[in-house]
Amino acid sequence: MTDTIALQGELRTEFGKGVARRMRVAQQIPATIYAGGAEPAFIALPMRETTLALRRTNALFTISFGDEKRTAVVKDVQRNPVKRIVEHIDFYEVKAGEKIDVEVPVFVEGTPKGAAVAFVEMQELKVRADVTNLPERIVVDVDGMVDGTKILVKDVKLPEGVELDGDAMEEPVVSVVVPEDATESTAAAEPAAEEAAPAAEADAE
């Protein structure tokens, strides 16, 4: 079950670039919570706690403000292109038992055989899951795999209750190959070894 991150915010009634700048000086982040066809809620969140929480992929948030408490997921994060600080966050309110589509980063673990290396072809996979069971990452095990092996979308093992959402089932997610430079290094080493053998025999004589 996904751990819920609690944030304490406050309602905001002023808008505009000037207001947003003053909020950032006061160590606050302007945010909006969207809820289907209902009116969105405009809030201010503490900058430090919120920025740290955003490091969690597909986190589930419980946001308190005024007399309300909303459960939501991040829909969009706007960052300053130079300073990379968070300038605004859009949240989407969710309900218990609701399933939503999310993009999950792909990671590999394990060591392929020989000089083979695992390359991630798809950095993220789109999946559908319950809001209380949103995966933070998808791990593909490549331990012992040989050159030429491809793990397709349809072959990826997903956490329980999570299903793929898309039609690219035959596309490779991870490819295991021997890099060209490794092949060239091996080929160059073989003639050198052959030349060294007669020389060693001559020295022995």
Side-chain angles (χ1 to χ4, degrees), residues 20-36:
R21 281 196 293 270
R22 291 197 297 272
M23 289 177 62
R24 287 192 286 274
V25 170
Q27 296 297 295
Q28 291 183 313
I29 300 174
T32 305
I33 304 176
Y34 294 94

Side-chain angles (χ1 to χ4, degrees), residues 112-120 142 145-149 174-179 182:
K113 282 189 176 181
V117 177
F119 291 94
V120 178
V142 298
M145 291 187 176
V146 298
D147 178 34
T149 303
V174 176
S175 297
V176 177
V177 299
V178 175

Side-chain angles (χ1 to χ4, degrees), residues 11-134:
L11 282 170
R12 58 188 176 97
T13 55
E14 295 182 303
F15 307 93
K17 292 183 178 179
V19 174
R21 281 196 293 270
R22 291 197 297 272
M23 289 177 62
R24 287 192 286 274
V25 170
Q27 296 297 295
Q28 291 183 313
I29 300 174
T32 305
I33 304 176
Y34 294 94
E39 286 294 318
F42 302 100
I43 60 174
L45 295 172
M47 183 174 289
R48 183 177 181 278
E49 292 89 335
T50 305
T51 301
L52 289 173
L54 290 176
R55 295 179 181 179
R56 291 271 303 276
T57 303
N58 296 326
L60 188 64
F61 291 86
T62 299
I63 304 172
S64 301
F65 55 95
D67 297 327
E68 295 190 56
K69 182 181 289 188
R70 307 274 186 92
T71 301
V73 294
V74 173
K75 183 179 180 182
D76 183 58
V77 178
Q78 297 175 21
R79 297 179 185 271
N80 182 285
V82 178
K83 298 180 180 180
R84 301 304 298 164
I85 62 172
V86 178
E87 295 188 331
H88 188 275
I89 308 171
D90 286 336
F91 291 93
Y92 177 74
E93 185 177 6
V94 294
K95 305 294 184 182
E98 181 179 354
K99 286 191 174 185
I100 62 173
D101 297 333
V102 292
E103 292 184 341
V104 187
V106 175
F107 292 83
V108 295
E109 67 176 11
T111 305
K113 282 189 176 181
V117 177
F119 291 94
V120 178
E121 305 280 2
M122 287 188 181
Q123 300 299 320
E124 295 180 323
L125 283 178
K126 190 174 182 180
V127 303
R128 173 171 283 268
D130 190 287
V131 294
T132 60
N133 189 37
L134 299 178

